[in-house]
Amino acid sequence: MKRIALKLILLCISVIIISCSKDSDNTPEASEVTVTTTNFTTTVVENPVQGQVLGTVSGTTNQGSVAFSITEQTPSGAFIIDTTSGELKVADANLFEFETNPTILGTVKVANGAVSENASVAITISDLNEENIYNGDVVLLTQEEVNIFGQNHYTHITGEIYIGNPTNVNHQSIIDLTPLIDLTSVGEMLYIGFNSELTTLAGLENVTSVGGTLALHTNTNLVNIESLNNITGTIKDLYVMENDSLTTFNSLNNIENVEEYFFIFNNDSLTQLNGLTNLTHIGWGSITSQPNLQNLHELSNFTSVEYSFGISNNNSLTNLEGLENLTFIGDELNINQNNSLLNLDGLTGLDNLTIEMLEIDGNNQLENIDALQNIHSVNRLFINDNPVLSSINLTNLSTITDAFYLSENSLLSNLNGLQNITEIISFQIRENENLISLAGLPSQVIIRDLDVLNNPSLTSLNGLESFTTFHSLKITGNDALVTLQGISNVTSFESSLDISSNNALTNLDSLTNLINIGYNLNIRSNDTLTDFCGIQTLITNGGPSGGYTVFNNAYNPTQQDIIDGNCSI
């Protein structure tokens, strides 16, 4: 019995031992953490872009993940590393200069906890050919084409370079110009247009010279053009047009002269021109359709325009301050449709100036044009459709050698402000709603042709008393005109006299001194005109040398009726 019990005890012990042995076999032994990496080498052309990717340091581990860190580099601060991916980037582009640092060295630690390995970094800087010239024109329609062209490291393009695709059909959008970092000059045009995804011009920082046109056109998301700030001196043309997201120039500070065309047009978000502080001269130019442009303060060094200059459709612009140093315009000045413009302050430097054309048209809030009072002579003058303009005040204007159009200025009541004018070849006064007289013209003025048309508040022609002769005079559609008083001293018209559609006019008594009309006399459609006795002297002296046309008035006498004394009813 004792033997049987002993056997059972031994059997149980054996089972326990075997079971423990099997459990021990299934428990893995703790493995050692390992990290592997390899040394990193690359070659880079000098003057890379800030942030340019240099490559990736490799790093792996058998457990978990690795972290990357730089333990040393020479020169210090040349590159940075992404701690997770191992990607190396340029930290200070100025250090990647062949002449000073032909090789950049460093050490990267690749670690998993306490376990780490080191990788050496060796970046060889290759010398850039300082005169790597591309002869001819370049057209880059896609990002791939930009990248490929950039690999050639051209520094000069003798012709034009077009960056962008006007059709943008089945083409990859251009989003990055950094491959063009080696470019320093363009012989003719630099055109960047129709790039809907381009946000900056980074990559063009080294461009210092554009021999022809600089054009930025329809780059919808372009917000920054600072990279053009190194272009210096003179360019032929500057076009910045339809870049909807551009809020400020903040560049172009070193451009002093635009020889020919300067156009800033339809950049909807543009609020200021703070990159044009050194601009002094342009050929032709305009600042047009900038709905959010607040001021022109940054044009404070702008002194001359060889031909024409326009400021139009800028609906947030309230004055022209900033243009005080503008002293010369050779041909035309146009200030049109600026709906918030209150005055022309800023143009006071246009002293003793003679210009071909001055146009002030459609400025809904313009109250005065006093800043132009020192202009001396104009060939053609247009002051039209400025509904709150109440005075002209061009006190030093002496001659208008061709035409003066004064129309649709609702608050203008007289012609005061023209007291020094001596000659106007052709003067049209039309549709000035509150004009009640022509007072303000000086006695010495000579007007060749005068049209007074559709001024509904004009009751007489007072202000013309000094005139004895005109080449032609047209008085039409002035509904409140009851008398021709003001031209009673006129004795002759070299060409024609036209009196039409003045519905309150009843007589021609103010024409009693008229003795000669060189061509036609037209008196038509004056609904209440019944008395023609004022032209009896004219008619009895032979009448007009050309035609006598009288019809559709309240009374329509023939010349013979007037000679016979039947001059009124």
Side-chain angles (χ1 to χ4, degrees):
M1 189 69 178
K2 289 181 180 178
R3 288 184 178 177
I4 294 173
L6 181 58
K7 288 181 178 179
L8 288 173
I9 292 169
L10 293 172
L11 179 61
C12 290
I13 292 171
S14 299
V15 170
I16 291 169
I17 291 171
I18 292 170
S19 177
C20 290
S21 175
K22 287 183 178 180
D23 289 343
S24 297
D25 290 343
N26 290 334
T27 302
E29 296 181 0
S31 60
E32 182 181 359
V33 174
T34 61
V35 172
T36 58
T37 185
T38 57
N39 294 331
F40 175 86
T41 61
T42 190
T43 299
V44 176
V45 177
E46 65 177 335
N47 305 321
V49 180
Q50 199 83 4
Q52 180 174 320
V53 175
L54 300 168
T56 300
V57 175
S58 66
T60 59
T61 182
N62 64 335
Q63 295 183 41
S65 59
V66 295
F68 298 86
S69 60
I70 298 170
T71 60
E72 61 178 337
Q73 58 176 306
T74 304
S76 178
F79 58 84
I80 56 176
I81 194 165
D82 186 292
T83 58
T84 302
S85 67
E87 185 179 68
L88 289 173
K89 291 184 178 180
V90 174
D92 186 347
N94 295 324
L95 297 176
F96 286 72
E97 178 69 34
F98 174 80
E99 286 75 14
T100 56
N101 299 307
T103 303
I104 294 175
L105 303 175
T107 302
V108 171
K109 179 181 177 182
V110 183
N112 182 351
V115 179
S116 65
E117 293 289 341
N118 289 334
S120 65
V121 173
I123 304 169
T124 301
I125 309 301
S126 63
D127 191 13
L128 178 65
N129 182 352
E130 301 296 340
E131 293 295 331
N132 189 9
I133 298 174
Y134 182 93
N135 290 303
D137 299 334
V138 179
V139 178
L140 305 176
L141 300 178
T142 68
Q143 185 63 53
E144 182 181 8
E145 290 178 358
V146 172
N147 296 342
I148 292 172
F149 186 79
Q151 291 171 5
N152 295 298
H153 303 292
Y154 288 114
T155 58
H156 305 278
I157 296 172
T158 61
E160 302 174 344
I161 177 169
Y162 294 83
I163 303 171
N165 179 19
T167 61
N168 203 27
V169 177
N170 298 322
H171 286 287
Q172 176 192 2
S173 296
I174 294 175
I175 59 174
D176 178 20
L177 303 183
T178 57
L180 305 179
I181 191 64
D182 300 316
L183 188 62
T184 62
S185 69
V186 177
E188 297 181 18
M189 177 185 289
L190 170 55
Y191 178 93
I192 304 169
F194 298 94
N195 300 289
S196 60
E197 297 181 36
L198 189 67
T199 59
T200 78
L201 304 182
L204 299 179
E205 292 87 347
N206 291 320
V207 177
T208 60
S209 173
V210 175
T213 299
L214 172 60
L216 307 175
H217 186 200
T218 315
N219 301 287
T220 309
N221 289 301
L222 184 65
V223 297
N224 187 324
I225 60 173
E226 291 181 7
S227 299
L228 300 178
N229 203 40
N230 289 319
I231 298 175
T232 60
T234 297
I235 61 175
K236 181 182 177 183
D237 309 305
L238 175 62
Y239 296 93
V240 183
M241 304 186 299
E242 298 182 329
N243 302 285
D244 294 343
S245 301
L246 191 63
T247 59
T248 175
F249 278 12
N250 200 24
S251 62
L252 309 180
N253 286 313
N254 293 309
I255 294 178
E256 298 175 359
N257 180 22
V258 179
E259 290 181 327
E260 295 188 9
Y261 295 104
F262 169 89
F263 288 106
I264 311 299
F265 173 74
N266 203 26
N267 302 283
D268 287 348
S269 301
L270 190 67
T271 60
Q272 53 185 323
L273 304 177
N274 63 340
L276 296 172
T277 52
N278 289 314
L279 183 66
T280 62
H281 173 82
I282 64 172
W284 293 266
S286 73
I287 301 171
T288 302
S289 299
Q290 307 297 147
N292 292 297
L293 183 64
Q294 302 297 314
N295 60 68
L296 304 178
H297 293 168
E298 302 300 326
L299 295 177
S300 58
N301 288 312
F302 189 37
T303 60
S304 63
V305 178
E306 188 169 353
Y307 299 106
S308 303
F309 185 47
I311 301 171
S312 303
N313 295 101
N314 304 292
N315 291 335
S316 297
L317 199 62
T318 60
N319 61 61
L320 304 183
E321 293 175 4
L323 296 176
E324 287 81 1
N325 289 317
L326 179 61
T327 58
F328 178 79
I329 298 175
D331 194 0
E332 298 181 8
L333 173 61
N334 311 98
I335 303 172
N336 301 331
Q337 283 84 46
N338 302 285
N339 289 336
S340 299
L341 190 65
L342 302 176
N343 56 63
L344 305 185
D345 293 357
L347 294 179
T348 52
L350 296 174
D351 189 11
N352 199 28
L353 183 67
T354 298
I355 62 176
E356 174 67 22
M357 185 173 81
L358 172 60
E359 182 178 37
I360 304 169
D361 191 341
N363 303 285
N364 289 341
Q365 302 299 320
L366 186 64
E367 298 171 351
N368 69 74
I369 59 173
D370 295 355
L372 298 177
Q373 60 186 306
N374 291 322
I375 287 181
H376 177 69
S377 177
V378 178
N379 187 31
R380 289 173 292 155
L381 175 60
F382 299 82
I383 303 177
N384 300 329
D385 195 19
N386 303 287
V388 300
L389 183 67
S390 58
S391 65
I392 302 175
N393 205 24
L394 296 173
T395 53
N396 286 307
L397 183 62
S398 62
T399 57
I400 299 174
T401 54
D402 188 352
F404 182 7
Y405 294 89
L406 183 67
S407 68
E408 299 181 78
N409 303 289
S410 301
L411 293 186
L412 193 67
S413 61
N414 57 58
L415 303 183
N416 289 338
L418 296 173
Q419 59 263 38
N420 287 310
I421 198 160
T422 59
E423 181 182 18
I424 303 173
I425 298 300
S426 176
F427 192 5
Q428 184 181 100
I429 305 169
R430 178 176 60 85
E431 297 181 31
N432 299 285
E433 184 176 343
N434 288 294
L435 187 69
I436 59 175
S437 85
L438 304 182
L441 290 172
S443 59
Q444 76 273 11
V445 67
I446 298 172
I447 298 176
R448 183 177 184 273
D449 300 300
L450 176 62
D451 295 345
V452 183
L453 312 175
N454 303 310
N455 300 283
S457 300
L458 189 66
T459 59
S460 74
L461 301 181
N462 288 340
L464 301 179
E465 289 82 1
S466 63
F467 290 89
T468 60
T469 184
F470 286 96
H471 181 263
S472 69
L473 175 61
K474 181 181 290 187
I475 305 167
T476 301
N478 303 286
D479 289 341
L481 189 69
V482 296
T483 174
L484 299 183
Q485 182 179 337
I487 59 171
S488 57
N489 293 318
V490 175
T491 60
S492 68
F493 293 93
E494 295 177 16
S495 179
S496 301
L497 172 62
D498 191 326
I499 303 170
S500 306
S501 302
N502 302 287
N503 293 330
L505 186 65
T506 61
N507 65 74
L508 305 179
D509 291 352
S510 297
L511 297 179
T512 55
N513 288 317
L514 181 61
I515 59 174
N516 177 62
I517 296 179
Y519 191 49
N520 290 331
L521 173 62
N522 301 306
I523 304 174
R524 308 183 305 271
S525 302
N526 301 283
D527 291 348
T528 62
L529 181 59
T530 60
D531 188 345
F532 284 71
C533 295
I535 61 170
Q536 196 166 24
T537 301
L538 170 70
I539 300 303
T540 57
N541 283 335
S545 299
Y548 172 85
T549 304
V550 175
F551 67 87
N552 207 29
N553 304 288
Y555 177 49
N556 300 289
T558 65
Q559 292 189 73
Q560 190 60 51
D561 289 333
I562 295 173
I563 292 171
D564 293 341
N566 300 316
C567 56
S568 68
I569 58 173

